[in-house]
């Protein structure tokens, strides 16, 4: 039953070509997720780096995390859709999803960057200053490299969250891989449902593993325990 | 203004007054799903934490598997469970419970590990058995860390329950979903605000519960 339905869905030519194909949906899912993370990084990293450098902002970071956790990501998506439609955006356009995803990716990146920069030992920074490095050089040459694993951990959390929530984009009339799941539910098509779910799950796991690998790769040599 | 006549009001208080019964029903559904999932999660994670504390080698695989479950997006996990358990509350509870495990286990293990060695030695010296030491000394002293985990897990679960509306299970997500389909903003705003409010109520009750459960920590720090 479930298996037959899966085979039927996989044998359907529309699954592999056209606007509703797996490739097209995967492409939509990926570009919106990556764009959201890049936009969030551009928006919050400069502020977070600066706050970390002057050793302030940990209270803001904690507040951001606590508030962010209480607001459901589905809720952020729905509110973002509501606001953009009120402002005149077309239904089915990706903008509401993109805005919601930027809002979701930003908090973990902000918090981890502030925490990462602040976790650099004061003695290390003193040594760098004592060697005559300017504040910019301290930030670029010492604090950022040492904070990199934690910063990337923030990016990883943000990216995985974004990929998960982009799936819900199908509930606000957008595409992405969630389209298969939402349509699968609506049409009681178990094949479409399961294939969509497996694709989304795999994408999230691949993103998670890739980012963890990257996080390990950027740790400066000699730093064994970045925390 | 012509625009004001054409666009529906952003928030319709009359709707709230007319649908009070429904709001109560959806609240009950949301609370039940949250409480059941977190409660099962707490029992399972306590068992898994005990295993991880007793056999250290088990800790890495346990966090790896629960971490993997945590990574799978909720909508996908609900969907994957459909061929196995169907479209029902069991589906939602399995998925929601599995999301609580990583947070709960990490905090429990870290909390018990954080109990000072001197306390453990004192307990041993007083003739406590391993079991008595665990329940009477280590668990109470680890409570702040354990409760912190339960708070995060519960608040996260309240948010995730909104997604269970796609399974037809009600909860506040029902309002959000119907609001999206009918472009009726009031329902979306009601659904999201009540979800945030419920998460806050749960979070605050745990803060109070912790104060009550750890009388020795009151007035300290």
């Amino acid at each position: 039953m479930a298996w037959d339905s899966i085979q039927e869905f996989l044998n359907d030519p529309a699954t592999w070509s056209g606007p509703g194909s797996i490739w097209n949906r995967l492409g939509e899912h990926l570009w919106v997720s990556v764009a959201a993370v890049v936009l969030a990084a551009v928006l919050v990293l400069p502020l977070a780096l600066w706050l970390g450098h002057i050793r302030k902002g940990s209270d803001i970071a904690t507040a951001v995390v606590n508030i962010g956790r209480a607001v459901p990501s589905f809720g952020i998506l729905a509110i973002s859709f509501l606001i953009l439609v009120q402002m005149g955006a077309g239904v089915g356009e990706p903008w509401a999803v993109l805005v919601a995803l930027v809002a979701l990716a930003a908090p973990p990146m902000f918090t981890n960057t502030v925490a990462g920069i602040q976790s650099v030992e004061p003695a290390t920074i003193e040594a760098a200053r004592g060697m005559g490095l300017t504040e910019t050089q301290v930030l670029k040459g010492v604090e950022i490299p040492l904070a990199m694993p934690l910063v990337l951990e923030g990016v990883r959390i943000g990216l995985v969250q974004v990929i998960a929530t982009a799936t819900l984009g199908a509930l606000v009339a957008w595409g992405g891989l969630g389209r298969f799941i939402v349509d699968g539910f609506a049409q009681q098509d178990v094949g479409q449902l399961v294939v969509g779910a497996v694709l989304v799950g795999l994408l999230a796991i691949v993103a998670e593993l890739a980012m963890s690998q990257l996080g390990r790769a950027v740790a400066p040599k000699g730093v064994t325990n970045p925390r | 203004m012509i625009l004001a006549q054409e666009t529906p009001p952003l928030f319709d208080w009359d709707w709230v007054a007319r649908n009070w019964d429904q709001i109560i029903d959806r609240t009950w559904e949301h609370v039940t799903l949250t409480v059941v999932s977190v409660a099962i999660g707490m029992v399972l994670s306590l068992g898994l934490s005990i295993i991880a504390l007793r056999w250290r080698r088990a800790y890495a695989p346990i966090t790896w598997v629960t971490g993997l479950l945590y990574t799978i997006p909720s909508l996908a996990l609900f969907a994957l469970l459909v061929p196995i358990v169907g479209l029902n509350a069991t589906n939602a509870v399995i998925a929601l419970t599995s999301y609580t495990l990583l947070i709960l286990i990490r905090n429990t293990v870290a909390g018990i590990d954080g109990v000072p060695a001197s306390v453990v030695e004192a307990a041993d010296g007083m003739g406590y058995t391993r079991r008595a030491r665990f329940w009477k000394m280590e668990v109470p002293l680890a409570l702040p860390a354990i409760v912190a985990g339960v708070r995060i897990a519960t608040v996260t679960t309240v948010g995730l329950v909104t997604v269970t509306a796609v399974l037809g299970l009600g909860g506040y997500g029902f309002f959000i979903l119907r609001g999206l389909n009918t472009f009726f903003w009031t329902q979306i705003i009601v659904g999201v605000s009540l979800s945030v409010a419920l998460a806050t109520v749960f979070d605050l009750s745990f803060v109070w519960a912790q104060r009550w459960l750890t009388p020795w920590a009151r007035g300290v720090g």
Side-chain angles (χ1 to χ4, degrees):
Chain A
M1 14 156 268
W3 191 241
D4 292 342
S5 178
I6 291 169
Q7 281 191 320
E8 197 182 315
F9 177 70
L10 290 177
N11 287 332
D12 185 346
T15 303
W16 301 102
S17 63
S21 69
I22 284 176
W23 304 121
N24 204 31
R25 294 298 182 212
L26 178 66
E28 287 173 340
H29 208 106
L30 279 177
W31 88 253
V32 167
S33 302
V34 172
V37 170
V38 170
L39 274 173
V42 171
L43 284 173
V44 302
L45 288 192
L47 178 67
L49 289 172
W50 179 67
L51 282 172
H53 181 69
I54 60 167
R55 305 256 152 181
K56 293 220 164 80
S58 26
D59 292 344
I60 308 173
T62 319
V64 164
V65 171
N66 286 338
I67 296 167
R69 198 178 283 134
V71 185
S73 32
F74 183 30
I76 293 179
L77 196 59
I79 298 284
S80 162
F81 179 74
L82 182 165
I83 293 170
L84 275 140
V85 169
Q86 284 277 309
M87 284 168 60
V91 174
E93 287 174 3
W95 313 123
V97 179
L98 188 63
V99 169
L101 296 185
V102 170
L104 283 164
M109 287 160 80
F110 177 81
T111 316
N112 273 45
T113 305
V114 172
I117 299 281
Q118 290 190 353
S119 73
V120 178
E121 287 288 326
T124 313
I125 296 164
E126 282 309 305
R129 284 193 184 127
M131 286 167 69
L133 266 64
T134 64
E135 289 306 299
T136 320
Q137 285 171 329
V138 169
L139 184 64
K140 279 191 186 160
V142 179
E143 289 177 322
I144 294 182
L146 285 171
M148 214 47 181
L150 260 180
V151 174
L152 278 182
E153 165 90 359
V155 177
R156 178 186 68 79
I157 299 170
L159 182 65
V160 172
Q161 171 105 349
V162 157
I163 287 175
T165 308
T167 314
L168 303 177
L171 295 171
V172 296
W174 182 66
L177 289 170
R179 194 76 259 162
F180 297 121
I181 302 178
V182 171
D183 288 351
F185 274 123
Q187 299 158 12
Q188 305 198 327
D189 178 352
V190 178
Q192 188 173 175
L193 187 70
V194 171
V195 172
V198 168
L199 289 172
V200 169
L202 283 178
L203 185 61
I205 291 167
V206 167
E208 158 103 21
L209 294 178
M211 286 303 299
S212 318
Q213 283 297 322
L214 190 64
R216 253 170 248 146
V218 297
K221 271 185 191 161
V223 179
T224 45
N225 186 2
R227 276 171 231 187
Chain B
M1 232 168 79
I2 300 166
L3 194 72
Q5 289 171 346
E6 281 175 348
T7 45
L10 203 57
F11 198 82
D12 179 0
W13 283 102
D14 279 351
W15 183 88
V16 178
R18 282 198 313 273
N19 291 279
W20 198 244
D21 291 352
Q22 229 203 111
I23 290 173
I24 306 272
D25 288 350
R26 300 284 99 88
T27 304
W28 177 244
E29 289 157 358
H30 209 108
V31 169
T32 314
L33 274 174
T34 306
V35 170
V36 170
S37 307
V38 174
I40 298 176
M42 281 165 72
V43 173
L44 285 178
S45 65
L46 188 61
L48 288 166
S49 301
I50 291 173
I51 293 173
L53 287 162
R54 193 85 189 257
W55 295 281
R56 281 287 157 172
R57 275 189 193 174
Y59 188 48
I62 288 172
T63 47
W64 194 82
V65 172
T66 51
L68 198 70
L69 283 172
Y70 190 76
T71 307
I72 300 173
S74 55
L75 194 60
L77 196 49
F78 295 139
L80 283 174
L81 288 166
V82 167
I84 305 162
V85 294
L87 263 173
N88 46 39
T90 312
N91 180 319
V93 169
I94 293 175
L96 294 170
T97 300
S98 68
Y99 288 126
T100 65
L101 297 178
L102 179 68
I103 302 161
L104 292 174
I105 293 171
R106 263 195 198 158
N107 276 48
T108 307
V109 171
I112 303 267
D113 274 346
V115 174
S118 54
V119 173
V120 176
E121 254 176 59
D124 291 342
M126 287 168 72
Y128 274 63
T129 60
R130 191 205 274 260
R131 176 174 299 190
R133 189 186 77 201
F134 182 75
W135 291 107
K136 291 186 179 162
M137 294 273 192
E138 292 175 318
V139 169
L141 286 174
L143 263 184
I146 297 174
V147 173
V150 175
R151 284 172 63 189
I152 299 174
T154 309
V155 171
T156 312
T157 305
V158 170
L160 287 168
V161 169
T162 58
V163 183
T164 62
V166 298
L167 299 170
L169 291 178
Y172 294 141
F174 175 85
F175 291 135
I176 304 176
L177 206 55
R178 213 174 50 182
L180 284 171
N181 290 335
T182 55
F183 290 86
F184 185 36
W185 304 146
T186 305
Q187 292 202 40
I188 299 180
I189 296 167
V190 166
V192 176
S193 328
L194 287 178
S195 175
V196 174
L198 184 62
T200 313
V201 168
F202 269 120
D203 204 35
L204 290 177
S205 357
F206 283 121
V207 175
W208 290 321
Q210 188 188 333
R211 280 178 63 86
W212 178 71
L213 283 168
T214 57
W216 59 86
R218 275 178 224 159
V220 181

